[in-house]
mmCIF file of all heavy atoms in Angstrom:
data_model
loop_
_atom_site.group_PDB
_atom_site.id
_atom_site.type_symbol
_atom_site.label_atom_id
_atom_site.label_comp_id
_atom_site.label_asym_id
_atom_site.label_seq_id
_atom_site.Cartn_x
_atom_site.Cartn_y
_atom_site.Cartn_z
ATOM 1 N N GLY A 1 -158.221 64.403 108.626
ATOM 2 C CA GLY A 1 -158.701 63.853 109.826
ATOM 3 C C GLY A 1 -158.866 64.863 110.956
ATOM 4 O O GLY A 1 -158.271 64.626 112.080
ATOM 5 N N GLN A 2 -159.497 65.933 110.831
ATOM 6 C CA GLN A 2 -159.800 66.942 111.808
ATOM 7 C C GLN A 2 -160.261 66.286 113.170
ATOM 8 O O GLN A 2 -159.789 66.744 114.132
ATOM 9 C CB GLN A 2 -160.722 67.975 111.313
ATOM 10 C CG GLN A 2 -161.152 69.115 112.350
ATOM 11 C CD GLN A 2 -159.956 70.096 112.390
ATOM 12 O OE1 GLN A 2 -159.031 70.016 111.670
ATOM 13 N NE2 GLN A 2 -159.959 70.995 113.473
ATOM 14 N N ARG A 3 -161.176 65.329 113.010
ATOM 15 C CA ARG A 3 -161.753 64.587 114.291
ATOM 16 C C ARG A 3 -160.719 64.004 115.050
ATOM 17 O O ARG A 3 -160.936 63.828 116.284
ATOM 18 C CB ARG A 3 -162.854 63.718 113.878
ATOM 19 C CG ARG A 3 -164.034 64.290 113.160
ATOM 20 C CD ARG A 3 -164.886 65.045 114.101
ATOM 21 N NE ARG A 3 -165.557 64.203 115.139
ATOM 22 C CZ ARG A 3 -166.386 64.554 115.946
ATOM 23 N NH1 ARG A 3 -166.564 65.822 116.152
ATOM 24 N NH2 ARG A 3 -166.888 63.666 116.830
ATOM 25 N N LEU A 4 -159.607 63.601 114.490
ATOM 26 C CA LEU A 4 -158.591 62.774 115.244
ATOM 27 C C LEU A 4 -157.928 63.824 116.308
ATOM 28 O O LEU A 4 -157.437 63.284 117.325
ATOM 29 C CB LEU A 4 -157.545 62.250 114.456
ATOM 30 C CG LEU A 4 -157.948 61.176 113.357
ATOM 31 C CD1 LEU A 4 -156.855 60.837 112.494
ATOM 32 C CD2 LEU A 4 -158.539 59.973 114.101
ATOM 33 N N ARG A 5 -158.047 65.053 116.023
ATOM 34 C CA ARG A 5 -157.465 65.954 117.040
ATOM 35 C C ARG A 5 -158.377 66.397 118.248
ATOM 36 O O ARG A 5 -158.064 66.936 119.180
ATOM 37 C CB ARG A 5 -157.066 67.175 116.387
ATOM 38 C CG ARG A 5 -155.734 67.113 115.401
ATOM 39 C CD ARG A 5 -155.155 68.392 115.109
ATOM 40 N NE ARG A 5 -155.902 69.282 114.240
ATOM 41 C CZ ARG A 5 -156.015 69.149 112.968
ATOM 42 N NH1 ARG A 5 -155.075 68.335 112.383
ATOM 43 N NH2 ARG A 5 -156.651 70.018 112.277
ATOM 44 N N ALA A 6 -159.605 65.779 118.191
ATOM 45 C CA ALA A 6 -160.687 65.907 119.216
ATOM 46 C C ALA A 6 -160.301 65.035 120.322
ATOM 47 O O ALA A 6 -159.614 63.948 120.088
ATOM 48 C CB ALA A 6 -161.981 65.708 118.667
ATOM 49 N N THR A 7 -160.753 65.262 121.506
ATOM 50 C CA THR A 7 -160.471 64.415 122.740
ATOM 51 C C THR A 7 -161.366 63.130 122.514
ATOM 52 O O THR A 7 -162.353 63.242 121.813
ATOM 53 C CB THR A 7 -160.783 65.180 124.004
ATOM 54 O OG1 THR A 7 -162.168 65.409 124.040
ATOM 55 C CG2 THR A 7 -160.101 66.380 124.105
ATOM 56 N N PHE A 8 -161.068 62.283 123.406
ATOM 57 C CA PHE A 8 -161.832 60.975 123.430
ATOM 58 C C PHE A 8 -163.214 61.265 123.744
ATOM 59 O O PHE A 8 -164.134 60.671 123.184
ATOM 60 C CB PHE A 8 -161.151 59.941 124.329
ATOM 61 C CG PHE A 8 -161.917 58.709 124.549
ATOM 62 C CD1 PHE A 8 -161.989 57.748 123.623
ATOM 63 C CD2 PHE A 8 -162.748 58.511 125.691
ATOM 64 C CE1 PHE A 8 -162.677 56.525 123.786
ATOM 65 C CE2 PHE A 8 -163.507 57.401 125.851
ATOM 66 C CZ PHE A 8 -163.546 56.464 124.853
ATOM 67 N N ALA A 9 -163.480 62.141 124.798
ATOM 68 C CA ALA A 9 -164.810 62.427 125.302
ATOM 69 C C ALA A 9 -165.543 62.992 124.161
ATOM 70 O O ALA A 9 -166.758 62.710 123.963
ATOM 71 C CB ALA A 9 -164.740 63.442 126.420
ATOM 72 N N THR A 10 -164.965 63.942 123.429
ATOM 73 C CA THR A 10 -165.641 64.567 122.281
ATOM 74 C C THR A 10 -166.045 63.638 121.177
ATOM 75 O O THR A 10 -167.169 63.701 120.706
ATOM 76 C CB THR A 10 -164.757 65.774 121.709
ATOM 77 O OG1 THR A 10 -164.287 66.618 122.678
ATOM 78 C CG2 THR A 10 -165.619 66.487 120.602
ATOM 79 N N ARG A 11 -165.172 62.696 120.840
ATOM 80 C CA ARG A 11 -165.457 61.725 119.887
ATOM 81 C C ARG A 11 -166.485 60.766 120.241
ATOM 82 O O ARG A 11 -167.154 60.172 119.406
ATOM 83 C CB ARG A 11 -164.158 61.028 119.431
ATOM 84 C CG ARG A 11 -163.147 61.996 118.815
ATOM 85 C CD ARG A 11 -162.061 61.114 118.036
ATOM 86 N NE ARG A 11 -161.409 60.005 118.955
ATOM 87 C CZ ARG A 11 -160.348 60.286 119.602
ATOM 88 N NH1 ARG A 11 -159.832 61.453 119.574
ATOM 89 N NH2 ARG A 11 -159.805 59.324 120.383
ATOM 90 N N THR A 12 -166.775 60.573 121.543
ATOM 91 C CA THR A 12 -167.687 59.509 121.918
ATOM 92 C C THR A 12 -169.075 60.090 122.442
ATOM 93 O O THR A 12 -169.914 59.273 122.817
ATOM 94 C CB THR A 12 -167.040 58.674 123.134
ATOM 95 O OG1 THR A 12 -166.757 59.669 124.225
ATOM 96 C CG2 THR A 12 -165.756 57.885 122.657
ATOM 97 N N MET A 13 -169.148 61.348 122.315
ATOM 98 C CA MET A 13 -170.434 62.088 122.732
ATOM 99 C C MET A 13 -171.661 61.406 122.118
ATOM 100 O O MET A 13 -172.640 61.123 122.718
ATOM 101 C CB MET A 13 -170.355 63.502 122.647
ATOM 102 C CG MET A 13 -169.462 64.139 123.637
ATOM 103 S SD MET A 13 -169.896 64.048 125.385
ATOM 104 C CE MET A 13 -171.225 65.254 125.500
ATOM 105 N N ARG A 14 -171.512 61.232 120.839
ATOM 106 C CA ARG A 14 -172.720 60.872 120.051
ATOM 107 C C ARG A 14 -173.126 59.410 120.304
ATOM 108 O O ARG A 14 -174.239 59.141 120.914
ATOM 109 C CB ARG A 14 -172.496 61.030 118.523
ATOM 110 C CG ARG A 14 -172.535 62.477 118.162
ATOM 111 C CD ARG A 14 -172.277 62.706 116.703
ATOM 112 N NE ARG A 14 -172.177 64.056 116.365
ATOM 113 C CZ ARG A 14 -171.687 64.625 115.142
ATOM 114 N NH1 ARG A 14 -171.289 63.773 114.278
ATOM 115 N NH2 ARG A 14 -171.726 65.930 114.922
ATOM 116 N N TYR A 15 -172.235 58.457 120.092
ATOM 117 C CA TYR A 15 -172.607 57.040 120.258
ATOM 118 C C TYR A 15 -172.608 56.715 121.751
ATOM 119 O O TYR A 15 -173.388 55.805 122.113
ATOM 120 C CB TYR A 15 -171.735 56.147 119.402
ATOM 121 C CG TYR A 15 -170.321 56.040 119.817
ATOM 122 C CD1 TYR A 15 -169.963 55.346 120.888
ATOM 123 C CD2 TYR A 15 -169.322 56.597 119.038
ATOM 124 C CE1 TYR A 15 -168.647 55.171 121.283
ATOM 125 C CE2 TYR A 15 -167.947 56.586 119.399
ATOM 126 C CZ TYR A 15 -167.638 55.831 120.543
ATOM 127 O OH TYR A 15 -166.331 55.693 120.851
ATOM 128 N N GLY A 16 -171.875 57.419 122.516
ATOM 129 C CA GLY A 16 -171.977 57.220 123.989
ATOM 130 C C GLY A 16 -173.271 57.569 124.574
ATOM 131 O O GLY A 16 -173.877 56.996 125.381
ATOM 132 N N GLY A 17 -173.925 58.739 124.025
ATOM 133 C CA GLY A 17 -175.156 59.205 124.400
ATOM 134 C C GLY A 17 -176.311 58.113 123.927
ATOM 135 O O GLY A 17 -177.204 57.927 124.668
ATOM 136 N N VAL A 18 -176.117 57.643 122.770
ATOM 137 C CA VAL A 18 -177.080 56.497 122.382
ATOM 138 C C VAL A 18 -177.092 55.316 123.335
ATOM 139 O O VAL A 18 -178.154 54.873 123.705
ATOM 140 C CB VAL A 18 -176.793 56.126 120.853
ATOM 141 C CG1 VAL A 18 -177.732 54.902 120.530
ATOM 142 C CG2 VAL A 18 -177.010 57.298 119.929
ATOM 143 N N ILE A 19 -175.878 54.832 123.602
ATOM 144 C CA ILE A 19 -175.766 53.759 124.542
ATOM 145 C C ILE A 19 -176.329 54.051 125.865
ATOM 146 O O ILE A 19 -177.021 53.235 126.457
ATOM 147 C CB ILE A 19 -174.227 53.375 124.610
ATOM 148 C CG1 ILE A 19 -173.710 52.792 123.363
ATOM 149 C CG2 ILE A 19 -174.100 52.338 125.809
ATOM 150 C CD1 ILE A 19 -172.297 52.599 123.287
ATOM 151 N N LEU A 20 -176.103 55.211 126.311
ATOM 152 C CA LEU A 20 -176.627 55.698 127.677
ATOM 153 C C LEU A 20 -178.162 55.764 127.594
ATOM 154 O O LEU A 20 -178.820 55.336 128.598
ATOM 155 C CB LEU A 20 -176.058 57.094 128.152
ATOM 156 C CG LEU A 20 -174.643 56.971 128.539
ATOM 157 C CD1 LEU A 20 -174.194 58.446 128.803
ATOM 158 C CD2 LEU A 20 -174.560 56.270 129.878
ATOM 159 N N ALA A 21 -178.755 56.210 126.454
ATOM 160 C CA ALA A 21 -180.260 56.243 126.386
ATOM 161 C C ALA A 21 -180.820 54.892 126.482
ATOM 162 O O ALA A 21 -181.834 54.582 127.090
ATOM 163 C CB ALA A 21 -180.581 56.948 125.124
ATOM 164 N N LEU A 22 -180.119 53.787 125.741
ATOM 165 C CA LEU A 22 -180.609 52.526 125.803
ATOM 166 C C LEU A 22 -180.388 51.839 127.232
ATOM 167 O O LEU A 22 -181.273 51.117 127.687
ATOM 168 C CB LEU A 22 -179.826 51.537 124.807
ATOM 169 C CG LEU A 22 -180.019 52.024 123.326
ATOM 170 C CD1 LEU A 22 -179.006 51.199 122.435
ATOM 171 C CD2 LEU A 22 -181.464 51.707 122.899
ATOM 172 N N PHE A 23 -179.328 52.255 127.868
ATOM 173 C CA PHE A 23 -179.096 51.798 129.220
ATOM 174 C C PHE A 23 -180.111 52.342 130.283
ATOM 175 O O PHE A 23 -180.681 51.576 131.117
ATOM 176 C CB PHE A 23 -177.627 52.196 129.728
ATOM 177 C CG PHE A 23 -177.498 51.998 131.218
ATOM 178 C CD1 PHE A 23 -177.382 50.699 131.723
ATOM 179 C CD2 PHE A 23 -177.571 53.034 132.122
ATOM 180 C CE1 PHE A 23 -177.106 50.471 133.037
ATOM 181 C CE2 PHE A 23 -177.400 52.695 133.531
ATOM 182 C CZ PHE A 23 -177.285 51.375 133.928
ATOM 183 N N ILE A 24 -180.583 53.589 130.094
ATOM 184 C CA ILE A 24 -181.643 54.141 131.007
ATOM 185 C C ILE A 24 -182.853 53.297 130.857
ATOM 186 O O ILE A 24 -183.575 52.987 131.865
ATOM 187 C CB ILE A 24 -181.856 55.642 130.674
ATOM 188 C CG1 ILE A 24 -180.642 56.429 131.000
ATOM 189 C CG2 ILE A 24 -183.130 56.130 131.196
ATOM 190 C CD1 ILE A 24 -180.748 57.851 130.550
ATOM 191 N N VAL A 25 -183.246 52.989 129.610
ATOM 192 C CA VAL A 25 -184.544 52.176 129.381
ATOM 193 C C VAL A 25 -184.401 50.729 129.994
ATOM 194 O O VAL A 25 -185.279 50.380 130.836
ATOM 195 C CB VAL A 25 -184.795 51.903 127.853
ATOM 196 C CG1 VAL A 25 -185.866 50.948 127.703
ATOM 197 C CG2 VAL A 25 -184.994 53.277 127.176
#
């Protein structure tokens, strides 16, 4: 579980970015 040692911000960059793109629309 290497990803577990990443920060919350790092782990949420991908799906957070998708949500933000939908919000912009």
Side-chain angles (χ1 to χ4, degrees):
Q2 178 75 10
R3 295 286 294 177
L4 294 177
R5 291 198 288 272
T7 65
F8 174 76
T10 305
R11 294 197 304 271
T12 58
M13 287 298 281
R14 287 175 183 168
Y15 66 79
V18 172
I19 293 171
L20 285 172
L22 294 173
F23 170 74
I24 290 170
V25 173

